[in-house]
Amino acid sequence: MKPFSYERPQTPAQAAAAVAGKPGAKFVAGGTNLLDLMKLQIETPSHLVDVNGLGLDRIEPTPEGGLRIGALVRNGDLATDTRVRRDYGVLSRALVAGASGQLRNMATTAGNLLQRTRCPYFYDTNLPCNKRVPGSGCSAIGGYNRQHAVVGGSDACIAVHPSDMAVALRALDATVETVRGDGARRVIPIADFHRLPGNTPHIDTNLQAGELITSVTLPAPVGGTQLYHKVRDRASFAFALVSVAAVVQRDGTGRVALGGVAHKPWRVEAAESEMPRGAKAVAERLFAGAQPTRENAFKLPLAERTLASVMNQARS
């Protein structure tokens, strides 16, 4: 690891100002992604701003009947919260499917959203990667890409977003609340939070420089049967090949978001109108324009079968 300076601000606005005012500065909370990347010298921040003491670790009801989840709420605590398990089961299930118990006890709500969208080539500093070094090329295109994106990719990047939690939040229409160094606050729909790669795959989110996540808000519960199913190469501590977050109502309508298939959690609201017709009709709309590689084309039928299994389970 390279040398860096360190501070612990007293307020969220102070933390945001500290990062905005120092080139190369980064926020750190649980550190489950950032510290790993620092050890590999993929991330080399010159200054770390520790946000653990900002009091953003509570889960509170909102006046609209939803929940406001502090940015520093640990994934393990969020997954086991009684209100989350009762009213937002898809989120609880997604969190339990992620990483390991030890990591969930350290990883934070904001950190989960901010983890780098990445692939094995991102970690190999001997090979080109546009996410690591913009303009250097994408080794996954034409390389080993079984785990990579089948939709929403670009000529610059075909990595997939690793978060399980973010897929559930996308199905729940969550919003992300932030603060800047001047105290200005912003509310970002989760649909607009993460980015597709385009020509700038090194930029994962639409946050501005120094903008700090303070909370994630869930709207009032929508009811229905809520399920999360993750298909992966091994039973634990593995990213999804395909995952499905679904909220299915009694009449067969609902919401569906997928993980493991794109650079961001993948939801196409227009596809949800096809849910009463079945998984095949939904998948056709979800993957319109898909561009799988020879090695990952299996993800398209796998996603359709996983979706069919989830929808059948929800209706049984």
Side-chain angles (χ1 to χ4, degrees), residues 7-260:
E7 69 174 295
R8 298 193 70 181
Q10 301 300 309
T11 69
Q14 288 175 3
V19 169
K22 294 185 179 179
K26 294 276 187 180
F27 300 115
V28 64
T32 57
N33 186 212
L34 177 61
L35 295 183
D36 280 346
L37 298 180
M38 289 174 65
K39 292 172 186 177
L40 296 170
Q41 295 191 13
I42 294 170
E43 293 278 5
T44 55
S46 58
H47 185 67
L48 289 185
V49 177
D50 188 336
V51 297
N52 281 295
L54 300 182
L56 303 175
D57 57 355
R58 293 184 290 274
I59 305 172
E60 301 170 315
T62 67
E64 296 77 21
L67 286 180
R68 178 169 286 108
I69 303 161
L72 297 173
V73 172
R74 263 46 186 183
N75 286 178
D77 293 333
L78 184 59
T80 57
D81 184 88
T82 302
R83 296 159 294 183
V84 174
R85 294 180 63 189
R86 181 189 64 217
D87 296 327
Y88 306 97
V90 65
L91 176 57
S92 180
R93 290 179 171 90
L95 285 161
V96 171
S100 65
Q102 295 94 328
L103 284 174
R104 290 195 295 271
N105 287 338
M106 284 297 296
T108 63
T109 297
N112 192 303
L113 290 177
L114 291 172
Q115 62 182 304
R116 296 300 306 272
T117 299
R118 57 201 188 271
C119 81
Y121 292 106
F122 176 76
Y123 288 104
D124 190 342
T125 56
N126 294 307
L127 293 173
C129 172
N130 286 319
K131 294 190 72 67
R132 194 178 63 246
V133 182
S136 63
C138 177
S139 296
I141 297 175
Y144 181 71
N145 48 41
R146 176 175 176 271
Q147 295 177 308
H148 290 67
V150 295
V151 66
S154 74
D155 292 339
C157 182
I158 55 172
V160 295
H161 195 273
S163 173
D164 295 286
M165 182 191 79
V167 180
L169 292 177
R170 182 68 180 89
L172 292 169
D173 282 331
T175 56
V176 180
E177 300 177 9
T178 69
V179 65
R180 296 199 299 263
D182 60 2
R185 297 183 178 273
R186 187 159 69 120
V187 177
I188 308 169
I190 192 70
D192 300 328
F193 184 80
H194 294 105
R195 296 164 53 104
L196 292 178
N199 294 322
T200 55
H202 59 290
I203 305 175
D204 288 327
T205 75
N206 283 311
L207 290 177
Q208 300 171 5
E211 195 169 10
L212 173 70
I213 297 174
T214 55
S215 62
V216 172
T217 298
L218 301 175
V222 295
T225 300
Q226 300 188 14
L227 298 170
Y228 186 79
H229 190 73
K230 180 178 182 178
V231 181
R232 46 189 162 176
D233 283 327
R234 57 179 184 267
S236 66
F237 204 63
F239 294 146
L241 291 171
V242 167
S243 65
V244 174
V247 179
V248 183
Q249 305 296 340
R250 288 181 178 271
D251 61 1
T253 62
R255 305 174 182 178
V256 171
L258 271 64

Side-chain angles (χ1 to χ4, degrees), residues 246-248 252-256 271-279 282 307 311 315:
V247 179
V248 183
T253 62
R255 305 174 182 178
V256 171
E272 294 164 0
S273 64
E274 305 288 348
M275 288 181 69
R277 294 181 55 204
V282 177
L307 179 58
M311 291 172 63
R315 292 166 178 166

